[in-house]
Amino acid sequence: MKASYVIIGAGISGCSIAYNLAKKGVKDIIVVEKHYLTAGATGRCGAGVRQQWGTEMNCRLAKASIDFFSIAKDELGYQGDIEFKQEGYLIVAVNEEEDKQFAKNVILQNSLGIPSRKITKEEAKEIVPHLNTDVILSATFCPTDGHLNPFTMTDAYYQAAKRLGVTFLFREEVKSIVVKNDKIEKVITTNHEIHTSNVINAAGGYAKEIGDMVNVAIPVYAERHEILVTEPVEKIQGPMVMSFGMNIYCQQVPHGSFLMGRSNPFEKPSHNIESSWQFLDEMAKTVCTLLPPIGNLRVIRQWAGSYNMSPDRQPIIGTTDLPGFYVACGFSGHGFMFAPMTGLLLSEIILGEPLTIDITDLHIDRFKTARDIVIEKSVV
Amino acid sequence: MSKKDIIICRCEDVTLEEIHQLLERGYTNIEELKRLLRVGMGPCQGTTCMQLIQREVSKFLNIPIEEVKTQKVRPLTMGVKLNAIKEGACDES
Ligand SMILES: Cc1cc2nc3c(=O)[nH]c(=O)nc-3n(C[C@H](O)[C@H](O)[C@H](O)COP(=O)(O)OP(=O)(O)OC[C@H]3O[C@@H](n4cnc5c(N)ncnc54)[C@H](O)[C@@H]3O)c2cc1C
């Protein structure tokens, strides 16, 4: 088999990259996926999309991606429903430090054209009536943030890429990559040998292991994050409610169920994605404090997935020291919402086109130098 | 009886016709069917529908039913109110 580009991973990043490259006229692209479409973090995520970030880079990537999500169904010619819901994110401040930081974030966001605003807790209660305002100081709200169905959104990219001629190999694992004299020769999978000079690493939680196959050290690791879903009920909550301080995000999806998650600050790097009762306990305590009536809902199911963590909690997108080896990883828990830009920008980098957004700062080389890295703090 | 009227997943109201449509489009893995149709995502967690779906996949791919892998079984086995979990957690500590 031969390919111009081999993309490893059929999560939303790999599918978006495949679609964007193919749309720009690249032929003979092969995507290799060891399980099935959305088997990795993509099919396990909260699928919230927000523009309320603390760094300029994340704000820009998120805004441009949301602009794409709003036209994605037509752009990708998708028959199904991507369930794009734009009813905002309500991010609550639970201490003075957050209150001050959020005021600064809103100034930054507004300067980039993001319509977020700082609001009082009374105003927050008007937006989410079941919010317990005794535990918050203030909030910020951005009405154009939202949520999508991660399965159908990825399927939309997948279908469009297939129509443009991309080949997908499912249930096939990349085992090794043969490099000679600093040049990629072939990718060896469980079923094929694919001759190619270009490999794109979109392997999510396994991005480091793929880098190791070609001796490119990628400073990322996998970390388990858990999530649960309740029984569906009538619509009572429009926006995603989020708190960094209380460590929770909670959203009612169009289907009617509530999705909620939080991080475990003691989680160690690993590929473990089993569910734990500890998460269930902590999640129940947190949600019952911040959104008390949600306590009346039954939990139907819990699961987990891997965040691919980078040192500054920002993505790593671009070329590497090995010619023909590209990376799109390290999304640190927010790679779903950036995927439209991940695909567009990486395809521009690969084809040497001018960049829609300057992402030089997301290059892997940023970790080589000891200069100050900007850490994104607005994460759960 | 029309395939449209045969309900396979009672929790999420998914018909035999919808299952067949996705099989035709190449989604023959139960995890994929689950993600795209929500089969097995409801309160019964697939205890009612999964065997029926396994049989459909087996017929479609013409392979023995034992070779059709079912979905990953996830907690909880029964819906429990968040309040009850919270109270349990607080009592213990
Ligand atoms: C619980 C949870 C909640 C989240 N909530 C959000 C959210 O609200 N908003 C948001 O934007 N992001 C969220 N995220 C993060 C988001 O899911 C990820 O950043 C995003 O899905 C990454 O997509 P990806 O395509 O890069 O990686 P993945 O979806 O992980 O895809 C990588 C794929 O590569 C495959 N693969 C790996 N190794 C190999 C190999 N050797 N050969 C072949 N294939 C291989 C895997 O099987 C996998 O399918 C959340 C994540 C989790 C776990």
Side-chain angles (χ1 to χ4, degrees):
Chain A
M1 269 185 128
K2 266 194 180 155
S4 58
Y5 293 86
V6 171
I7 299 172
I8 306 175
I12 190 149
S13 304
C15 292
S16 169
I17 296 164
Y19 164 77
N20 277 281
L21 277 175
K23 194 181 158 213
K24 289 179 186 296
V26 177
K27 301 270 180 287
D28 302 319
I29 301 168
I30 298 182
V31 181
V32 185
E33 164 56 54
K34 70 174 162 181
H35 300 302
Y36 47 88
L37 193 69
T38 73
T42 301
R44 298 160 187 279
C45 78
V49 296
R50 66 166 151 126
Q51 304 152 95
Q52 299 183 70
W53 287 98
T55 63
E56 182 172 338
M57 178 69 79
N58 282 348
C59 287
R60 285 189 192 279
L61 292 174
K63 179 170 189 302
S65 294
I66 287 196
D67 290 347
F68 179 83
F69 286 130
S70 67
I71 53 161
K73 186 177 159 68
D74 290 340
E75 277 290 305
L76 301 173
Y78 190 55
Q79 304 289 311
D81 187 357
I82 59 172
E83 296 171 27
F84 185 35
K85 160 184 160 185
Q86 251 175 321
E87 293 190 47
Y89 260 57
L90 183 78
I91 305 186
V92 298
V94 295
N95 55 46
E96 295 286 345
E97 194 193 332
E98 282 190 338
D99 183 64
K100 283 204 196 96
Q101 182 61 46
F102 289 2
K104 284 190 207 149
N105 290 359
V106 165
I107 294 171
L108 169 72
Q109 291 153 8
N110 291 170
S111 77
L112 299 167
I114 296 166
S116 56
R117 55 181 201 267
K118 184 109 180 341
I119 58 176
T120 62
K121 54 183 181 176
E122 290 73 27
E123 288 169 313
K125 200 160 174 74
E126 275 169 32
I127 299 171
V128 176
H130 51 281
L131 187 68
N132 175 8
T133 44
D134 294 345
V135 294
I136 72 170
L137 290 184
S138 65
T140 61
F141 182 67
C142 176
T144 53
D145 291 349
H147 178 269
L148 293 114
N149 179 322
F151 314 121
T152 52
M153 184 59 230
T154 310
D155 191 43
Y157 269 124
Y158 162 66
Q159 299 281 351
K162 264 206 315 196
R163 276 198 305 275
L164 290 167
V166 176
T167 303
F168 284 79
L169 303 176
F170 291 108
R171 288 169 277 285
E172 211 172 305
E173 184 176 351
V174 171
K175 288 294 198 185
S176 62
I177 302 171
V178 180
V179 178
K180 273 212 187 103
N181 303 327
D182 240 12
K183 206 174 162 310
I184 298 174
E185 291 202 328
K186 58 186 170 186
V187 172
I188 298 175
T189 75
T190 35
N191 306 345
H192 290 98
E193 285 201 357
I194 310 171
H195 292 267
T196 187
S197 348
N198 299 293
V199 170
I200 298 161
N201 177 358
Y206 288 87
K208 184 186 177 316
E209 285 78 354
I210 300 292
D212 291 344
M213 290 180 186
V214 292
N215 286 320
V216 170
I218 309 173
V220 291
Y221 60 87
E223 182 180 278
R224 173 179 65 169
H225 282 257
E226 297 186 70
I227 180 167
L228 65 79
V229 65
T230 69
E231 61 192 323
V233 286
E234 242 176 77
K235 182 173 170 187
I236 57 163
Q237 183 176 317
M240 169 84 97
V241 175
M242 192 167 200
S243 164
F244 308 121
M246 288 180 75
N247 187 357
I248 176 175
Y249 63 87
C250 175
Q251 160 96 64
Q252 187 175 24
V253 299
H255 169 261
S257 46
F258 278 77
L259 278 180
M260 62 191 80
R262 72 196 305 281
S263 307
N264 171 6
F266 307 107
E267 191 71 41
K268 299 265 181 303
S270 84
H271 290 297
N272 174 18
I273 48 166
E274 288 302 311
S275 299
S276 74
W277 57 266
Q278 290 89 341
F279 163 74
L280 210 52
D281 277 0
E282 295 304 319
M283 191 74 245
K285 284 193 251 175
T286 316
V287 75
C288 294
T289 308
L290 186 60
L291 301 161
I294 307 295
N296 292 317
L297 300 184
R298 286 180 180 78
V299 180
I300 297 290
R301 186 171 57 256
Q302 60 174 130
W303 66 94
S306 290
Y307 279 15
N308 187 238
M309 304 297 285
S310 76
D312 58 4
R313 307 293 177 257
Q314 303 220 57
I316 307 176
I317 302 175
T319 59
T320 62
D321 284 342
L322 175 66
F325 187 72
Y326 303 91
V327 288
C329 63
F331 291 104
S332 309
H334 39 272
F336 180 79
M337 66 180 84
F338 291 165
M341 284 307 108
T342 302
L344 178 70
L345 296 166
L346 189 60
S347 67
E348 290 172 349
I349 290 172
I350 290 173
L351 301 175
E353 295 177 359
L355 295 183
T356 304
I357 296 173
D358 181 3
I359 52 163
T360 322
D361 286 348
L362 297 183
H363 195 275
I364 190 169
D365 282 354
R366 70 181 183 272
F367 304 113
K368 280 188 184 163
T369 46
R371 81 192 155 93
D372 296 341
I373 50 175
V374 191
I375 296 185
E376 174 62 71
K377 293 200 195 74
S378 308
V379 282
V380 170
Chain B
M1 198 167 165
S2 148
K3 279 194 214 172
K4 255 201 267 194
D5 299 326
I6 302 176
I7 305 287
I8 296 285
C9 168
R10 292 190 299 196
C11 300
E12 298 288 339
D13 249 350
V14 182
T15 64
L16 183 60
E17 184 184 42
E18 290 172 282
I19 307 260
H20 282 181
Q21 279 167 352
L22 279 201
L23 289 173
E24 295 289 347
R25 280 171 48 201
Y27 300 98
T28 55
N29 182 304
I30 285 193
E31 294 287 0
E32 286 171 334
L33 295 173
K34 172 181 165 190
R35 283 162 172 74
L36 288 167
L37 290 176
R38 302 192 56 84
V39 285
M41 283 191 179
C44 93
Q45 291 264 45
T47 43
T48 329
C49 64
M50 267 316 151
Q51 286 183 335
L52 300 174
I53 297 171
Q54 249 185 319
R55 194 184 62 203
E56 291 309 312
V57 174
S58 131
K59 277 198 291 193
F60 183 83
L61 294 178
N62 208 3
I63 55 173
I65 196 159
E66 339 43 285
E67 285 175 24
V68 181
K69 250 184 102 179
T70 51
Q71 91 280 25
K72 163 119 172 92
V73 177
R74 296 198 156 125
L76 290 34
T77 42
M78 220 176 111
V80 181
K81 283 189 179 176
L82 281 155
N83 274 334
I85 299 171
K86 181 198 86 180
E87 279 153 25
C90 292
D91 279 352
E92 281 164 24
S93 48

